[in-house]
Amino acid sequence: MTRRRLLPSAAMLGLFGATGSGPASAVSDDSLSQLAARSGRYFGAAVRIEDILAEADLRGTVLRECVSLTPEFALKWDAVERSPEAFRFGPIDDLLSFAVQQGLRMRGHTLLWHGSVPDWAQAQLRSQRSWTLVQRYMEAVLSRYRGTIGQWDVVNEPIETGYRMDGLRGSVFLEAFGPDYVVRALHEARRLAPGAELMINEFALEADSKVESDRRYHFLKLLERLKRAGAPLDGVGLQAHLDLSKGPVRAVVYAPFLQDIAGLGLFIAITELDVKEYDYAQPVDRRDRDVADATARYLDIALAQPAVRGVSTWGMSDRHSWLRVTLEDLARHQGSWKDGSTPGFNRGLPFNSSMRRKPMYHAIANALQHAAARRG
């Protein structure tokens, strides 16, 4: 595919001059990215270009706090190729232009994910079982962004326990190509983006439970198989969607898991940090404290592992969070809101819906400071 130089749209041209608008720009203390850099790490967040364009306070906060951006939706297969060979690169081009102009890095998230395969591609993969379809899609994306996106989640969420002895998730890729599809995808990505760092990204690996213990076991076994097969795997992404209903993360459980990954010669990135609340009936200050405590505990364990390169949150503000208060949550607390109010947003990101710092922000900052102190 012919590559073209990425040019900002007219809307983007008007945006590039704004480097610190919004509430965060007036704050003089160190940003999360500055604190992270002191321990040789980075801080970033998942974003959507339409939000950055529309919201000056978000834009200013992102520019102040982040050195790395992750596209929340725009690089997934069903966003890029909604119909065969009708590629839609505008949103990701604009986000990448914004990142480049502002001196920020961007992660490539994600190439193969069972949750973002277009319906037409699922049908063709099941009927034809042809790798050519995957190859064509990966070539269109990776050749376009070769040299500008230097890190890719090649396979996202390949693990699902309780179904197969190898722990692989039942997906259209597994159905079409068998368990070697992960190795094959990594080799394809290395061929098309030889200078990029290639990763596997996975969730639900931190809790002290039988289910997540099994997930850790199968994830490590997958990594070992990939290394034995000579797959070009450079690192892993640990999503870290923390869930307060699962209880606290324990160092005795999680630290050895991180060490096992590092022992395979792989780097680690915390890629999608946020917190799912449980007790929405508590006062807001208590809810925020619970979220901050869970964040602090997790990061103190994770950042003690030298192989962890950086931390990205899955969004910056509660108003953009994918986490929502569900009907199940409301039913669980029926009668708790005497005034008839509801709990509103899940409060699991560092800034509230008004783009003001919450205790979670300070928990992240403190964890990064502690990590820098350990480094000396």
Side-chain angles (χ1 to χ4, degrees):
M1 170 175 285
T2 303
R3 296 175 64 209
R4 68 176 179 84
R5 179 171 173 262
L6 294 176
L7 296 175
S9 67
M12 298 300 299
L13 286 170
L15 173 64
F16 287 155
T19 59
S21 57
S25 62
V27 181
S28 60
D29 54 319
D30 291 332
S31 67
L32 295 178
S33 60
Q34 289 171 320
L35 294 172
R38 291 177 188 158
S39 65
R41 295 179 166 104
Y42 67 85
F43 179 81
V47 296
R48 309 174 202 174
I49 188 58
E50 57 268 31
D51 294 336
I52 287 176
L53 285 168
E55 302 170 22
D57 56 352
L58 171 66
R59 183 165 67 248
T61 299
V62 166
L63 291 174
R64 171 181 155 74
E65 303 293 347
C66 299
V67 296
S68 174
L69 302 181
T70 301
E72 189 170 355
F73 298 115
L75 256 180
K76 292 171 180 172
W77 193 350
D78 57 0
V80 167
E81 193 180 9
R82 294 176 179 175
S83 57
E85 299 190 69
F87 293 102
R88 178 177 178 264
F89 290 116
I92 198 64
D93 283 356
D94 279 350
L95 181 58
L96 183 57
S97 293
F98 170 77
V100 169
Q101 183 71 19
Q102 300 294 344
L104 308 178
R105 302 192 299 268
M106 194 161 84
R107 301 187 66 253
H109 177 81
T110 178
L111 292 170
L112 299 189
W113 180 41
H114 67 279
S116 68
V117 185
D119 290 343
W120 65 267
Q122 291 196 47
Q124 286 190 28
L125 287 170
R126 289 193 169 97
S127 63
Q128 301 173 14
R129 299 180 184 270
S130 172
W131 185 256
T132 302
L133 181 63
V134 174
Q135 184 182 59
R136 179 179 57 74
Y137 153 67
M138 290 180 66
E139 184 167 5
V141 175
L142 290 173
S143 63
R144 185 181 187 86
Y145 300 115
R146 186 184 301 133
T148 52
I149 298 179
Q151 187 181 93
W152 289 90
D153 292 331
V154 178
V155 179
N156 192 47
E157 301 177 2
I159 297 297
E160 184 178 36
T161 60
Y163 297 93
R164 294 171 50 94
M165 291 296 292
D166 60 10
L168 287 179
R169 177 183 294 279
S171 69
V172 67
F173 304 115
L174 186 66
E175 292 174 33
F177 309 115
D180 289 340
Y181 85 89
V182 181
V183 175
R184 200 168 181 181
L186 288 165
H187 280 295
E188 196 73 63
R190 178 65 83 225
R191 179 181 71 83
L192 294 166
E197 295 176 331
L198 306 182
M199 302 173 62
I200 291 177
N201 194 48
E202 190 55 88
F203 76 104
L205 298 167
E206 59 278 337
D208 184 12
S209 68
K210 176 63 167 62
V211 170
E212 297 201 16
S213 175
D214 289 348
R215 291 180 59 79
R216 287 188 290 272
Y217 171 82
H218 283 295
F219 187 65
L220 288 170
K221 289 300 181 183
L222 172 61
L223 298 181
E224 291 171 359
R225 292 196 300 272
L226 293 173
K227 295 293 285 187
R228 285 197 302 271
L233 178 66
D234 301 305
V236 301
L238 305 180
Q239 294 183 16
H241 291 295
L242 308 181
D243 186 336
L244 296 185
S245 71
K246 296 179 180 180
V249 179
R250 299 178 63 217
V252 69
V253 170
Y254 199 55
F257 171 67
L258 299 178
Q259 183 56 48
D260 287 343
I261 296 173
L264 293 171
L266 301 169
F267 73 82
I268 301 167
I270 309 305
T271 54
E272 304 184 21
L273 176 65
D274 58 13
V275 182
K276 173 72 166 68
E277 292 185 79
Y278 181 69
D279 191 352
Y280 293 96
Q282 294 294 328
V284 165
D285 59 348
R286 171 63 184 274
R287 291 168 59 192
D288 284 350
R289 185 167 70 249
D290 289 347
V291 166
D293 287 349
T295 302
R297 179 185 289 268
Y298 176 81
L299 288 179
D300 281 345
I301 299 167
L303 295 177
Q305 170 52 246
V308 174
R309 281 194 184 176
V311 177
S312 295
T313 53
W314 200 246
M316 290 294 285
S317 164
D318 296 334
R319 73 185 181 215
H320 300 118
S321 176
W322 69 288
L323 295 169
R324 295 289 184 266
V325 180
T326 66
L327 292 176
E328 180 183 348
D329 296 324
L330 294 173
R332 180 157 36 83
H333 298 300
Q334 187 173 9
S336 296
W337 295 280
K338 304 300 183 184
D339 61 355
S341 65
T342 64
F345 295 102
N346 186 85
R347 299 182 65 83
L349 285 169
F351 290 83
N352 69 11
S353 59
S354 299
M355 205 58 68
R356 301 296 177 184
R357 294 176 179 181
K358 305 208 318 285
M360 182 181 177
Y361 177 96
H362 301 291
I364 297 171
N366 289 338
L368 294 170
Q369 287 178 316
H370 294 162
R374 282 193 297 264
R375 188 188 193 202

